[in-house]
């Protein structure tokens, strides 16, 4: 897959000193993730008439941020998980100290890779970096994680759950789609359509993740199933039930499709990904 090849080229080799940290970064990055964020980034670029080559650094940057968030989320101080992507979690293999650093290094690596992108007439490096920083920061990804940690074991409303899902999941998916568009020097109308698409698809993705947590086995998911219920975490199925959750996921996906009208059939790859996300089983 071209994303794997590009990530391999962007990252220091396993043998680069200090070898442990590069091994740890690569261990989680190449552990078999679905690469959904790079996929939507490249698909958004295609919808706007851009090239894979121009979008690739940004697609790789979002995957590095995503992987960092998983490595840190799995730590004992956070979600405390032993399995991710069907393999032992980073800290189980390398120890907690190296896992913290591997996450830090992946986050930093994302900005280095993004800074290597070419920059576009409508979207400067400054805007690209701002987009990534805002999404990873205390108002989005980290805000979602904080709200999630603080909400454990407490009664959560659907509004509060949506706040968490928007930040923990939808924000990075939305950012991936937007960056794809920016790499194709998209118009502001196209960027607005991509933002709407990314938001809805991102939320649908998390609702489906909540559903899979209760309907699939750990083997199917490659991570511990049923964790949300065990941790008394609020999820869509626990608040509104399984059937209503499925309905919400389908409605969000339909909304995502509707946002793509402006591309007049040129967003086939994005449509295919939205369909795949709705029907996925892991
Ligand atoms: C900043 C530590 C920190 C966390 C931010 C992203 C996040 C919040 C926590 C990670 C755990 C989690 C359940 C996030 C929700 C998003 C999600 C469903 C991630 C899993 O994404 P997939 O299914 O994973 O695309 P793969 O392994 O396929 O890449």
């Amino acid at each position: 897959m071209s994303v794997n090849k590009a990530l391999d080229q962007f990252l220091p080799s396993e043998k680069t000193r200090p070898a442990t940290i590069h091994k740890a970064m690569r261990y989680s990055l190449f552990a078999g993730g679905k690469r959904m964020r790079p996929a939507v980034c490249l698909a958004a670029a295609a919808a706007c008439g851009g090239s894979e080559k121009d979008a690739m650094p940004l697609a790789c940057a979002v995957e590095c941020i995503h992987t960092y968030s998983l490595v840190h989320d799995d730590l004992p101080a956070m979600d405390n998980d032993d399995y991710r992507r069907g393999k032992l979690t980073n800290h189980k293999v390398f120890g907690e100290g190296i896992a913290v650093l591997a996450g830090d290094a992946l986050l930093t690596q994302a900005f280095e890779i993004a800074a290597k992108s070419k920059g576009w007439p409508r979207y400067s490096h400054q805007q690209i970096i701002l987009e990534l920083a805002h999404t990873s920061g205390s108002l989005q990804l980290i805000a979602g994680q904080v709200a999630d940690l603080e909400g454990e074991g407490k009664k959560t409303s659907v509004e509060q759950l949506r706040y968490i899902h928007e930040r923990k999941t939808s924000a990075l998916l939305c950012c991936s789609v937007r960056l794809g568009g920016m790499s194709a020097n998209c118009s502001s109308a196209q960027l607005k359509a991509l933002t709407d698409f990314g938001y809805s698809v991102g939320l649908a993705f998390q609702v489906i993740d909540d559903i899979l947590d209760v309907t699939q086995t750990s083997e199917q998911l490659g991570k511990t199933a049923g964790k949300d219920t065990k941790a008394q975490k609020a999820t869509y199925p626990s608040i509104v039930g399984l059937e209503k959750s499925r309905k919400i996921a389908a409605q969000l996906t339909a909304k995502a499709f509707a946002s793509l009208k402006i591309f007049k059939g040129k967003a086939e790859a994005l449509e295919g990904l939205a369909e795949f996300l709705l029907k996925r089983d892991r």
Side-chain angles (χ1 to χ4, degrees):
M1 190 200 194
S2 53
V3 173
N4 288 343
K5 199 170 156 210
L7 280 169
D8 185 39
Q9 285 167 358
F10 279 127
L11 252 80
S13 79
E14 277 207 2
K15 289 188 184 145
T16 306
R17 206 169 154 194
T20 323
I21 190 71
H22 299 122
K23 259 192 200 142
M25 289 161 78
R26 283 174 167 270
Y27 174 81
S28 291
L29 202 53
F30 296 105
K34 292 185 288 298
R35 305 286 193 234
M36 281 316 302
R37 292 146 194 87
V40 292
C41 179
L42 298 178
C48 301
S51 72
E52 185 175 291
K53 183 170 168 277
D54 287 348
M56 193 56 88
L58 305 182
C60 291
V62 290
E63 187 65 13
C64 286
I65 294 177
H66 168 58
T67 306
Y68 127 75
S69 76
L70 300 181
V71 171
H72 279 196
D73 183 65
D74 289 333
L75 286 166
M78 299 232 191
D79 224 21
N80 191 18
D81 221 319
D82 293 352
Y83 289 95
R84 168 74 65 184
R85 294 173 166 174
K87 296 173 78 172
L88 282 172
T89 42
N90 200 291
H91 64 274
K92 282 272 151 195
V93 177
F94 297 95
E96 280 179 47
I98 291 294
V100 169
L101 293 170
D104 293 342
L106 283 166
L107 175 62
T108 314
Q109 184 77 57
F111 288 91
E112 190 173 327
I113 298 173
K116 286 180 181 160
S117 63
K118 68 173 203 177
W120 294 271
R122 289 196 187 104
Y123 308 101
S124 62
H125 279 110
Q126 185 193 3
Q127 258 174 296
I128 301 284
I129 299 296
L130 190 61
E131 185 82 24
L132 284 171
H134 179 73
T135 304
S136 321
S138 62
L139 297 178
Q140 295 291 329
L141 263 193
I142 292 180
Q145 186 75 344
V146 171
D148 197 25
L149 279 175
E150 291 182 344
E152 260 178 55
K154 290 190 194 139
K155 196 167 162 43
T156 309
S157 66
V158 185
E159 288 69 35
Q160 175 70 357
L161 185 61
R162 189 177 261 251
Y163 173 94
I164 296 172
H165 285 5
E166 279 171 355
R167 281 153 190 83
K168 265 187 80 169
T169 313
S170 186
L172 191 55
L173 263 152
C174 192
C175 165
S176 309
V177 176
R178 283 170 56 86
L179 287 173
M182 290 179 181
S183 79
N185 200 37
C186 68
S187 68
S188 57
Q190 287 174 322
L191 191 61
K192 159 93 178 60
L194 291 174
T195 308
D196 292 345
F197 172 84
Y199 172 81
S200 301
V201 130
L203 260 189
F205 184 85
Q206 185 58 57
V207 177
I208 292 159
D209 213 69
D210 286 358
I211 295 172
L212 294 176
D213 186 66
V214 287
T215 56
Q216 302 294 89
T217 64
S218 299
E219 288 68 34
Q220 281 164 322
L221 295 178
K223 61 182 179 183
T224 318
K227 270 211 85 180
D228 296 341
T229 318
K230 210 168 157 204
Q232 287 185 289
K233 253 190 198 173
T235 63
Y236 270 84
S238 72
I239 297 184
V240 302
L242 210 47
E243 272 327 293
K244 180 107 192 273
S245 302
R246 289 198 171 108
K247 235 183 223 162
I248 292 174
Q251 277 165 357
L252 285 165
T253 308
K255 221 169 147 199
F257 267 92
S259 327
L260 298 177
K261 258 198 207 141
I262 175 179
F263 295 104
K264 300 194 173 95
K266 282 193 182 150
E268 276 166 3
L270 278 179
E271 286 171 2
L273 285 165
E275 188 79 29
F276 166 78
L277 286 183
L278 185 69
K279 294 191 175 144
R280 77 194 170 103
D281 58 8
R282 76 173 182 110

